[in-house]
Amino acid sequence: MDIIPAHINDAVHTSLNESPPKRIKSTRAASGKTLNSVHFSSHYQAPSTPVSDHSSDSDLEAEDYATDYTSPDTSEMPDDVEEFRDREYPQLKGKTYLDHGGTTLYAKSLVEEFSADLISNLYGNPHSASTPSALAGHRVDTIRDRALRFFNADPEHFDLVFVANATAAIKLVIDCFKDYAAVSNTPVWYGYHKDAHTSLVGVRESTKLHRCFATDEEVDIWINSGGLGGPRARQLGLFAYPGQSNMSGRRLPLNWCGRIRKSFHKAATYTLLDAAALASTAPLDLSDPATAPDFVALSFYKIFGFPNIGALIVRKESAHVLESRKYFGGGTVDMVIAVNDTWHAKKNSSIHDRLEDGTLPFHSIFALDHGMNVHERLYGPNPMKFISHHTSQLGKQLYNSLSNLTHSNGLPLCRIYKDDNTTYGDPSVQGATVAFNVQLADGSMVPYEEVEEAADDQGIFVRSGSLCNPGGMATYLNWSPAEMKAAYAAGHRCSKPTQIMLGKPTGVVRVSLGAMSIAADVQALIRFLDDTYCHGANKALVSTPISLAHNTPLSPPPSPGPKPTISPLNIPHALYVPPQQSTPSLFQTTPSRPSIPEPTTSWDSTALPQHPSPLPTTIEPERAKNPPWNPQDYINMRKPWEAEMRKQHAQNYNNVGMEIKVHEMEDASTFSRNPTPSVKARKFGRSVVNLLRTKSHFVESNRVPPLPAPLPTSPPLPPGEPPREASNSQRSRKSIEKQRFQDNVDALGL
């Protein structure tokens, strides 16, 4: 038996008579001590087990490594959010936060318990075998299983890979797919929904075979047909879509994954669900492995506010396509040969052991444990169910209030972008997110960044822009590909946008609610919009308090009532330049906002046309219809020199081509009757010309040439020997001599 050093025993063993520290159930508990004072006074309690069991390969139960912070208290049902909001979310005092789609907020008790945990316990790198490292490693495994069960995922059928965020999870999937396709010599086909986040759209650049589904009906037809228009035989398919649109809040069908798995037999097609927006305010149920997605990407900070980590949930039956990844990092291999050979052996114990490169952010994973504790303590044993119902009812009130805001002439204040098949108040099809734009009484649009800045000055925090959702923006704002390319050529960028072009906005204002949102937040936003843009025309609506009936059945929102007929919007043509007027500009009509100088260039005056502000009770008469817009005219107006250069280049190219054709026709007419002579005909013609030129150089004059010297005679033959036949050289000499003699005779006239 090995002798254990005394200092290790002292660090590990605890007194059997000493009771472990008790867990503090809630910050609401009446106690004379604060949370920090209780935990700071307690000593580090390690599990009373032999030191030999403290290793990364031990099979200890989760409770053996339990601390004061590993198990939540579910004895109390959730209180009303307004009762604990000031205590748990003091950062919201005097502020209205309406950007939970970007990230939700963390509770005060989460930060306090996490801080006390790190101060009271000693944690090491999970890759080591020391006692602090073993404690950290086993706690990471415990939290991994607990995170799976938070989504009703059985660890027997699912595995969880910790990543930086949802985008990192998506990139990990496609990287593994590319390596798997390279090993198996199988092309990858990729399909995605038009409501997909930019991170999902970017996957298409990894393969030449991709398709965008513009509607839900296209996806249904594709599934019902067994995959027609999708991956073919001997191809590897991947279909990705968001559980909820991060722009409009529309929730897409979750049964597509099971239907694809059941219907597709010609080519293996896997499903990737982007649950970052959905999981923030709705329960994600992965209890049935047969209908669950193959891969789920999500971010925990959108659910708990902290920590800033994400996860990739993998269905184990589909994990084989992720195991051919070529890259390996620290902790993912069992053996590596780096000198004189290039061999390595990957870990085969689990999928997360093969994909989690390097040391995990184990402190952030501990914070995730506290986040789940606080969520269950504040929002009940099933926190996401409560949050889903709470935010759904609050989103319904927000949508109804925005729909009822009107100008004094009856024109709606907000253009709300919503799918026709969704209903606010029904969490199965719609989340607590509203996307809209603000318009003035004359129908002209207010730039969305102006709305965000004006709200920010009033302590109301929303988000504006294109929201990293290119498909949703193009669909709801009616931008064609040609128009978007023309806008980019004109200088529009997502980071530095031109907010209104061609009379259409290039982005929206988004309001998204979260677990700690209350009715007062909705009331503050409605009051701000009415005071700023309607000049108090909706006092009756704003003064009516909003009450949430949590027990009322879900129903579609009531109709806002009949409204007067509004003339169609007059969208100016791209080439229209408004006349100079002394009336205030579009931006100067917004109170409490500094005036913006008028654009000076002709392009800016075209991109942002200025309209005079009519009287509040009148409607501007409809102008004459403008001719249809042509993107080429738009580009020529922005860069006339570029069009001129292209025109000159094309003209020069045409002239050169014409000259070549003329030369070819002249050659053809000279040497051949065929307008397009062949190569042999051209060569024959050139040879004839050269022959004629050579013959002309040898024309002799009529003068008599001098006689050459007499040729030597051959010696006489011996008697009786027959005469020998003359050689070729002799015959040629004789013929030349005979010809010259005859020429001389002719010249003398004999």
Side-chain angles (χ1 to χ4, degrees):
M1 178 178 179
D2 297 337
I3 299 176
I4 301 173
H7 68 279
I8 296 182
N9 277 326
D10 295 338
V12 175
H13 289 287
T14 58
S15 174
L16 297 177
N17 298 329
E18 185 178 358
S19 60
K22 296 182 179 180
R23 168 179 162 74
I24 294 179
K25 295 184 178 180
S26 173
T27 57
R28 291 174 287 179
S31 175
K33 297 182 180 181
T34 63
L35 177 68
N36 291 341
S37 64
V38 172
H39 289 290
F40 294 165
S41 61
S42 62
H43 298 285
Y44 166 71
Q45 302 293 330
S48 55
T49 55
V51 168
S52 59
D53 293 340
H54 287 270
S55 64
S56 58
D57 297 330
S58 63
D59 297 328
L60 296 178
E61 298 295 333
E63 50 269 13
D64 292 338
Y65 277 89
T67 66
D68 295 340
Y69 315 97
T70 56
S71 58
D73 178 29
T74 59
S75 59
E76 297 182 5
M77 292 301 294
D79 298 329
D80 189 25
V81 177
E82 297 182 357
E83 294 183 7
F84 61 80
R85 171 165 146 154
D86 292 340
R87 179 182 63 254
E88 288 289 345
Y89 303 95
Q91 63 268 37
L92 284 175
K93 186 175 182 180
K95 302 179 180 66
T96 303
Y97 183 78
L98 298 174
D99 188 21
H100 295 269
T103 180
T104 193
L105 302 179
Y106 45 83
K108 176 183 177 182
S109 58
L110 189 159
V111 179
E112 290 177 342
E113 294 184 11
F114 175 57
S115 175
D117 183 8
L118 296 186
I119 294 175
S120 303
N121 297 290
L122 178 61
Y123 298 110
N125 191 316
H127 288 170
S128 301
S130 63
T131 299
S133 299
L135 176 62
H138 281 276
R139 189 170 178 193
V140 167
D141 294 337
T142 302
I143 297 172
R144 189 193 310 275
D145 291 344
R146 185 183 178 190
L148 284 173
R149 291 188 171 90
F150 186 84
F151 303 108
N152 294 330
D154 187 356
E156 293 292 330
H157 301 285
F158 293 91
D159 200 350
L160 187 144
V161 181
F162 285 110
V163 292
N165 46 40
T167 299
I170 295 170
K171 186 176 183 301
L172 179 61
V173 171
I174 188 57
D175 288 344
C176 294
F177 260 71
K178 290 192 299 183
D179 292 342
Y180 179 83
V183 171
S184 59
N185 195 21
T186 305
V188 176
W189 177 92
Y190 178 65
Y192 60 97
H193 196 275
K194 61 103 176 174
D195 284 335
H197 189 273
T198 301
S199 299
L200 283 182
V201 179
V203 176
R204 72 184 183 189
E205 300 303 317
S206 299
T207 176
K208 297 181 180 180
L209 307 174
H210 51 78
R211 175 185 177 184
C212 177
F213 294 86
T215 61
D216 294 357
E217 289 73 16
E218 286 189 21
V219 180
D220 290 330
I221 294 174
W222 174 60
I223 296 175
N224 294 334
S225 65
L228 293 178
R232 299 180 179 179
R234 300 184 183 88
Q235 291 182 354
L236 183 65
L238 176 63
F239 174 69
Y241 71 101
Q244 173 180 316
S245 169
N246 68 310
M247 174 189 171
S248 63
R250 183 178 78 94
R251 290 176 176 170
L252 284 71
L254 297 180
N255 62 353
W256 284 345
C257 302
R259 292 172 56 193
I260 290 175
R261 186 176 299 115
K262 183 179 180 180
S263 302
F264 287 20
H265 304 288
K266 181 172 58 175
T269 304
Y270 300 87
T271 53
L272 170 60
L273 177 67
D274 178 11
L278 175 66
S280 61
T281 56
L284 179 62
D285 187 9
L286 302 177
S287 57
D288 187 6
T291 60
D294 296 300
F295 315 103
V296 179
L298 54 90
S299 299
F300 286 115
Y301 64 87
K302 293 182 180 289
I303 305 175
F304 309 108
F306 181 78
N308 298 334
I309 58 175
L312 173 65
I313 300 178
V314 181
R315 184 171 169 267
K316 289 186 177 180
E317 292 186 4
S318 307
H320 61 278
V321 295
L322 306 181
E323 296 177 352
S324 299
R325 189 179 63 146
K326 296 180 180 179
Y327 174 81
F328 60 87
T332 63
V333 290
D334 286 329
M335 176 67 71
V336 178
I337 298 178
V339 180
N340 298 329
D341 201 349
T342 57
W343 177 85
H344 69 278
K346 295 182 179 179
K347 288 185 176 180
N348 55 9
S349 55
S350 63
I351 188 64
H352 67 262
D353 285 334
R354 301 168 68 101
L355 298 180
E356 290 176 345
D357 300 314
T359 301
L360 287 173
F362 53 95
H363 295 114
S364 298
I365 296 175
F366 300 160
L368 174 61
D369 193 23
H370 295 292
M372 290 185 284
N373 288 345
V374 172
H375 241 49
E376 293 181 8
R377 183 170 64 247
L378 297 180
Y379 303 105
N382 194 347
M384 299 311 300
K385 183 178 180 180
F386 171 82
I387 294 172
S388 176
H389 186 73
H390 169 72
T391 56
S392 179
Q393 294 299 317
L394 202 59
K396 177 181 178 180
Q397 297 295 333
L398 172 63
Y399 171 74
N400 291 341
S401 299
L402 290 175
S403 301
N404 292 329
L405 285 176
T406 58
H407 292 283
S408 57
N409 60 359
L411 184 69
L413 173 66
C414 301
R415 290 185 184 179
I416 301 177
Y417 305 104
K418 169 185 171 296
D419 193 89
D420 296 335
N421 298 324
T422 61
T423 301
Y424 281 90
D426 185 358
S428 63
V429 294
Q430 179 65 47
T433 301
V434 181
F436 63 93
N437 273 305
V438 176
Q439 57 184 359
L440 299 178
D442 61 348
S444 58
M445 305 300 298
V446 180
Y448 45 86
E449 285 189 348
E450 286 292 310
V451 178
E452 182 181 8
E453 293 175 4
D456 192 271
D457 291 343
Q458 301 298 323
I460 303 174
F461 309 110
V462 298
R463 181 173 178 180
S464 67
S466 57
L467 310 179
C468 293
N469 195 312
M473 287 295 163
T475 301
Y476 289 106
L477 302 183
N478 195 23
W479 280 90
S480 66
E483 291 174 334
M484 297 180 70
K485 291 180 180 179
Y488 181 84
H492 169 68
R493 301 292 185 272
C494 293
S495 57
K496 296 181 180 180
T498 304
Q499 302 178 52
I500 297 178
M501 302 184 72
L502 307 174
K504 296 187 294 186
T506 58
V508 299
V509 179
R510 187 187 70 181
V511 175
S512 52
L513 305 173
M516 64 289 308
S517 299
I518 57 178
D521 298 333
V522 177
Q523 197 77 6
L525 176 67
I526 300 302
R527 186 181 301 109
F528 155 74
L529 292 174
D530 180 62
D531 294 342
T532 306
Y533 302 104
C534 294
H535 309 290
N538 302 272
K539 288 297 183 182
L541 175 64
V542 174
S543 60
T544 304
I546 298 177
S547 60
L548 298 181
H550 293 290
N551 297 326
T552 57
L554 300 177
S555 60
S559 174
K563 296 181 181 179
T565 303
I566 307 300
S567 60
L569 297 178
N570 182 21
I571 300 177
H573 188 258
L575 303 179
Y576 166 72
V577 179
Q580 299 293 334
Q581 304 182 61
S582 60
T583 55
S585 64
L586 171 63
F587 308 107
Q588 295 174 345
T589 58
T590 304
S592 72
R593 296 298 303 156
S595 61
I596 298 178
E598 283 194 35
T600 57
T601 61
S602 61
W603 167 251
D604 293 336
S605 63
T606 305
L608 299 175
Q610 308 297 324
H611 299 277
S613 300
L615 295 176
T617 57
T618 61
I619 300 178
E620 185 179 359
E622 183 179 2
R623 295 193 184 101
K625 294 184 178 180
N626 295 306
W629 177 78
N630 186 4
Q632 188 62 37
D633 297 339
Y634 198 62
I635 297 176
N636 294 343
M637 179 182 60
R638 176 60 178 172
K639 295 181 178 180
W641 58 269
E642 183 178 356
E644 186 65 24
M645 291 294 294
R646 292 176 180 174
K647 183 178 180 180
Q648 293 179 2
H649 176 73
Q651 185 176 3
N652 295 335
Y653 179 80
N654 293 335
N655 293 339
V656 173
M658 185 59 67
E659 292 179 0
I660 295 175
K661 291 183 178 180
V662 169
H663 289 310
E664 291 180 353
M665 293 180 64
E666 292 177 352
D667 295 341
S669 61
T670 302
F671 303 114
S672 175
R673 297 179 180 178
N674 189 356
T676 56
S678 62
V679 177
K680 293 183 178 180
R682 291 179 181 178
K683 290 184 178 180
F684 177 76
R686 293 192 187 98
S687 62
V688 172
V689 172
N690 294 334
L691 180 62
L692 295 176
R693 289 177 179 177
T694 305
K695 186 176 181 180
S696 62
H697 288 295
F698 291 94
V699 177
E700 297 182 356
S701 60
N702 293 331
R703 67 181 181 88
V704 179
L707 294 175
L711 296 176
T713 59
S714 57
L717 295 175
E721 183 177 352
R724 292 177 294 182
E725 184 175 339
S727 61
N728 293 335
S729 59
Q730 292 178 351
R731 287 198 303 268
S732 61
R733 289 175 184 176
K734 290 181 179 180
S735 60
I736 293 174
E737 184 178 357
K738 183 178 180 180
Q739 182 65 33
R740 286 183 178 178
F741 179 79
Q742 184 66 35
D743 292 339
N744 294 334
V745 171
D746 295 339
L748 295 175
L750 298 177

